[in-house]
Amino acid sequence: MTELLCIGNPIVDVFIDIDNSLADKYGITDPIQHIDSGTADALLKEPAVDFSKAVKSSGGGSANVAKIASMLGMSASFSGCTGQDILSGIFMEEMTASGVNLVLEKSNLKTGLCFACNVNGELRFAACPSASLELNESHINDELIRTAEVVVLDGYILDRRSLVQHILLLANRRGIPVALDAASVMQVKSKAEEILTYSRSFPLFVFMNADEAITFYNTIRKTGSDEAFLTERDKEAYIISDVSPMLKIITDGEIYPIIIVKLGGRGAIVFASGNMYREETFAVIPRNTVGAGDAFCAAFISAWIRGKSLSECASLGNKVAREILEVPGTHIKRGKLKNFAKMLRK
């Protein structure tokens, strides 16, 4: 029996330091961008970057969820598509060492990767999903889905509508809830109506950060607004005053959907059965924010499976996410999470 079946884009996160000239050379000029395989290969061979010292970690939203959940003592499986190269070996070794059961398809394309670039103190991401995009509905069958208690979907697969709907239908037939992370503001802008439709039609958990929740609200309401908030406190206040009434209406059912808004250092807000639950935390200075939201999701869903209250789920999510802020990506030792694993066994 698999407690969490995580499906998504398997990638390897590569953490590097580059200067502005290299960033311009490879087109890494925005906070988040996609690069083609040729650019990714060229950057990997860039003589000005010492890749022998670069931290390389298995990554991808749902893969991170599977890894952290497994470290918390849960039974977790991951399904996705990788290449047959060195990066695939890195991904598989770290995931397996974390205790994750891998159900991988193989492609002739190269394994997806994401460069997390520190450009003079500014973090920029350059992703090349490559082989991960080869996963399709023919790879996901009822035999895989039926053993899970919760299916976790990477929001970046929302672009593959037939795959997402196939998974949702298979899970729904078995009465299995699906946890979906919105992934990014750009995904929410283009997929808000689909996310809303899925939340009304299937047993769904939806995870969004503050910016994504605000974008979701503005897109659904068709306000055309794009608020520029100065502080995290401003975002929180806007979500509570303006966004929350809509999310209460959307979640006003017997159980699902459940919408979780992650506020980073300000905790989280959970919307369920037309109610709002606030769970605060204390802020820390992060070494790196990559994977913290995925860790929150892993801990939240793990606690929910183990019968914890929504408040307890959010509280554990906050605590585990805080640990991930201390390491690059989800490159964390199991021992760092052992106390949280004990909490789930109580």
Side-chain angles (χ1 to χ4, degrees):
M1 185 71 177
T2 298
E3 291 175 301
L4 290 88
L5 170 62
C6 303
I7 304 172
N9 295 340
I11 61 174
V12 173
D13 291 325
V14 182
F15 295 83
I16 58 175
D17 295 327
I18 61 176
D19 58 25
N20 282 313
S21 63
L22 279 180
D24 291 340
K25 176 181 177 180
Y26 292 101
I28 304 172
T29 55
D30 297 319
I32 301 174
Q33 55 259 290
H34 277 82
I35 56 175
D36 59 35
S37 58
T39 301
D41 287 343
L43 181 52
L44 282 171
K45 298 173 183 175
E46 172 57 53
V49 181
D50 186 357
F51 280 98
S52 66
K53 296 181 180 179
V55 174
K56 303 176 185 69
S57 174
S58 61
S62 61
N64 286 337
V65 172
K67 186 200 307 186
I68 297 301
S70 183
M71 289 184 175
L72 290 171
M74 307 295 288
S75 171
S77 296
F78 173 78
S79 180
C81 185
T82 68
Q84 304 177 63
D85 49 12
I86 293 175
L87 289 177
S88 175
I90 292 172
F91 179 87
M92 293 172 64
E93 181 179 1
E94 187 165 335
M95 293 290 285
T96 302
S98 300
V100 178
N101 175 50
L102 294 176
V103 186
L104 296 178
E105 303 297 328
K106 292 293 185 177
S107 168
N108 291 326
L109 297 177
K110 294 185 177 181
T111 299
L113 57 80
C114 180
F115 295 100
C117 306
N118 178 10
V119 185
N120 298 328
E122 178 189 355
L123 193 60
R124 302 179 192 173
F125 298 97
C128 179
S130 195
S132 67
L133 301 181
E134 297 288 288
L135 187 74
N136 60 61
E137 52 268 35
S138 70
H139 299 136
I140 308 296
N141 56 36
D142 183 68
E143 185 67 21
L144 180 65
I145 295 287
R146 71 179 183 85
T147 62
E149 291 192 40
V150 174
V151 175
V152 179
L153 290 186
D154 187 330
Y156 282 112
I157 73 170
L158 283 169
D159 293 326
R160 283 165 276 172
R161 184 179 299 173
S162 60
L163 173 60
V164 172
Q165 293 179 350
H166 174 71
I167 294 169
L168 289 170
L169 286 169
L170 286 179
N172 191 46
R173 288 171 190 162
R174 296 282 180 177
I176 300 169
V178 173
L180 172 69
D181 191 285
S184 73
V185 167
M186 293 307 298
Q187 282 292 85
V188 172
K189 281 184 177 179
S190 62
K191 302 294 188 302
E193 294 287 352
E194 289 178 35
I195 293 172
L196 180 60
T197 298
Y198 295 151
S199 71
R200 288 171 170 168
S201 307
F202 302 98
L204 205 66
F205 292 86
V206 180
F207 290 84
M208 295 184 279
N209 64 26
D211 291 325
E212 292 158 0
I214 292 168
T215 300
F216 180 75
Y217 169 77
N218 288 332
T219 304
I220 295 299
R221 293 291 300 272
K222 296 179 172 58
T223 64
S225 178
D226 187 19
E227 281 82 3
F229 294 96
L230 297 177
T231 68
E232 297 303 313
R233 187 184 296 272
D234 290 334
K235 295 176 187 178
E236 177 188 5
Y238 184 76
I239 289 169
I240 291 174
S241 64
D242 289 55
V243 180
S244 66
M246 184 183 80
L247 298 185
K248 287 179 181 179
I249 292 172
I250 293 172
T251 59
D252 190 14
E254 291 185 4
I255 301 177
Y256 304 106
I258 297 172
I259 298 177
I260 304 95
V261 180
K262 301 169 290 185
L263 301 175
R266 301 194 63 77
I269 304 174
V270 181
F271 296 89
S273 301
N275 299 308
M276 182 178 79
Y277 306 87
R278 180 77 173 88
E279 191 65 34
E280 297 184 358
T281 188
F282 63 87
V284 296
I285 298 175
R287 174 182 175 184
N288 199 302
T289 59
V290 178
D294 302 326
F296 179 97
C297 176
F300 187 102
I301 293 298
S302 296
W304 184 84
I305 290 173
R306 294 293 170 86
K308 307 296 183 183
S309 69
L310 292 176
S311 178
E312 290 173 312
C313 293
S315 176
L316 186 64
N318 289 334
K319 292 172 182 175
V320 174
R322 198 159 53 237
E323 291 294 325
I324 299 301
L325 295 174
E326 302 298 322
V327 299
T330 53
H331 201 66
I332 192 169
K333 294 180 180 179
R334 183 186 293 269
K336 290 284 187 179
L337 303 179
K338 64 180 181 180
N339 288 334
F340 305 125
K342 288 180 182 178
M343 293 169 61
L344 285 175
R345 292 196 295 267
K346 293 181 179 179

